[in-house]
Amino acid sequence: MWRYSQAQTAFQVGKTSIGGVPGERPTVLIGSIFYHKHRVLRDEKTGEFDVEAAKELIALQENFSQKTGNPHMFDVVGATPEALMRAVSFVADSTDAPILIDGVSPEVRLAGLKRAIETGLLDRAIYNSLTPETKEDELRRIADLGVKSAVLLTLNQRDFSSKGRTKVIAELLAKAEAANIRMPLIDTCVIDVPSFGMACEALMGLKDKTGFPVGMGAHNAIGTWRGLRTKMGDQAYRPAMASCAAAAAMIGADFILYGPVHHADVVFPAVAMVDAAHAQLSLQAGKIPPRNHPIFRIA
């Protein structure tokens, strides 16, 4: 069984529970949509997109969430305030899953967050993200808008090691408090394949140290792997992505940003398998997972 020095906290974002001891709650999987060069986008500046194709992608993730029992969220990205506001409105109307408000700058993210609140999304909105470089003005404006959850990205520009990621958590939690964030989600910052190992070590340490939900953008290890397609072939891409997500789940990630949402069909089964294995340990210890847990869904 997993043993932590700190009690493990689970937060409720909308209808989704995130955090806790592996095996007792399934891993939350987060697919990205409307990101740079996403195939559904027609104009990145205005945010115009293929509505039917976007609906199909949202339905794909929701379908695999139902099949596996893994809760899901959407990381909604925008290049401009106009684009992110358009995207947030669409996704909010298309699903009841929580939404990460993501953008290329504070102005874009804050515009998206404001639109989320205008559309009644406050209880399921997550600001993505706060970093050690986040300025006081941004924190104040986040607090004024009233969002209660945010991703804290442990990007330490001075020290990229596992310890460097852990060192910045006190600073990030102070920034979260200044922004009136009550449900912090800690992202241990995957940049490439080498950093994936450091992010995994930091994840285990920060779950133990803080008790808060901790996860990562595991897909970044694959998205920046230049030799994957050229040396291994195109067929290696999706298995590598599924393996990366499964590895993060195995070491106890509470949430995984798994990359483009159209890969839900390979990521959800891989992570559900790991979650079922973890849940068996909980059963062995006399703790029964919820009935919608992957261990009861995937057989």
Side-chain angles (χ1 to χ4, degrees):
M1 284 295 292
W2 299 84
R3 293 179 176 87
Y4 299 104
S5 59
Q6 291 281 348
Q8 295 296 296
T9 301
F11 294 132
Q12 191 74 25
V13 182
K15 297 179 180 179
T16 300
S17 182
I18 182 169
V21 177
E24 296 180 10
R25 289 183 180 83
T27 309
V28 177
L29 295 174
I30 306 168
S32 297
I33 190 168
F34 304 128
Y35 48 86
H36 178 53
K37 293 186 178 179
H38 191 189
R39 62 193 185 191
V40 303
L41 282 171
R42 290 174 174 160
D43 187 318
E44 291 198 19
K45 289 185 178 180
T46 65
E48 292 180 74
F49 58 89
D50 183 330
V51 172
E52 292 306 314
K55 285 181 178 179
E56 288 177 5
L57 290 175
I58 289 172
L60 176 70
Q61 181 170 283
E62 293 195 324
N63 182 33
F64 274 89
S65 178
Q66 284 292 320
K67 285 181 177 180
T68 62
N70 285 96
H72 68 111
M73 300 178 178
F74 289 93
D75 180 42
V76 181
V77 187
T80 66
E82 181 184 0
L84 187 53
M85 288 189 293
R86 184 192 297 268
V88 166
S89 294
F90 172 77
V91 178
D93 289 341
S94 303
T95 179
D96 61 0
I99 295 175
L100 278 65
I101 310 297
D102 199 349
V104 299
S105 70
E107 288 304 318
V108 173
R109 293 190 294 272
L110 289 164
L113 181 58
K114 185 177 180 182
R115 174 58 58 87
I117 292 166
E118 291 170 350
T119 55
L121 197 64
L122 182 60
D123 69 325
R124 55 188 178 108
I126 301 169
Y127 192 77
N128 189 20
S129 60
L130 304 182
T131 74
E133 282 67 48
T134 301
K135 304 296 188 227
E136 288 186 10
D137 178 65
E138 186 176 356
L139 298 173
R140 177 184 56 76
R141 292 169 70 183
I142 293 168
D144 289 343
L145 288 168
V147 68
K148 298 303 180 188
S149 185
V151 174
L152 311 187
L153 185 65
T154 61
L155 176 60
N156 188 336
Q157 299 281 13
R158 299 176 299 278
D159 183 354
F160 284 97
S161 69
S162 306
K163 289 183 178 178
R165 287 164 165 76
T166 303
K167 284 177 185 176
V168 297
I169 194 59
E171 181 182 356
L172 285 169
L173 289 172
K175 288 181 181 291
E177 185 174 357
N180 203 26
I181 297 298
R182 296 293 176 257
M183 294 185 289
L185 309 178
I186 301 170
D187 182 337
T188 54
C189 190
V190 176
I191 300 171
D192 51 21
V193 172
S195 69
F196 181 51
M198 294 185 287
C200 287
E201 184 175 47
L203 184 148
M204 292 184 286
L206 286 169
K207 272 188 70 66
D208 188 53
K209 180 178 181 178
T210 69
F212 291 137
V214 187
M216 63 177 68
H219 170 262
N220 290 339
I222 308 304
T224 56
W225 183 358
R226 292 185 179 180
L228 177 57
R229 294 183 188 272
T230 58
K231 294 183 177 181
M232 311 298 173
D234 288 343
Q235 85 292 337
Y237 185 86
R238 280 160 62 84
M241 182 166 13
S243 299
C244 194
M250 182 58 75
I251 57 97
D254 296 300
F255 63 93
I256 300 170
L257 289 116
Y258 68 84
V261 69
H262 62 268
H263 294 305
D265 60 341
V266 295
V267 171
F268 274 76
V271 173
M273 177 190 67
V274 173
D275 282 348
H278 283 165
Q280 185 60 39
L281 297 177
S282 293
L283 286 167
Q284 184 175 276
K287 297 181 179 179
I288 301 176
R291 296 305 304 176
N292 61 348
H293 194 281
I295 195 171
F296 304 120
R297 290 276 185 96
I298 66 172

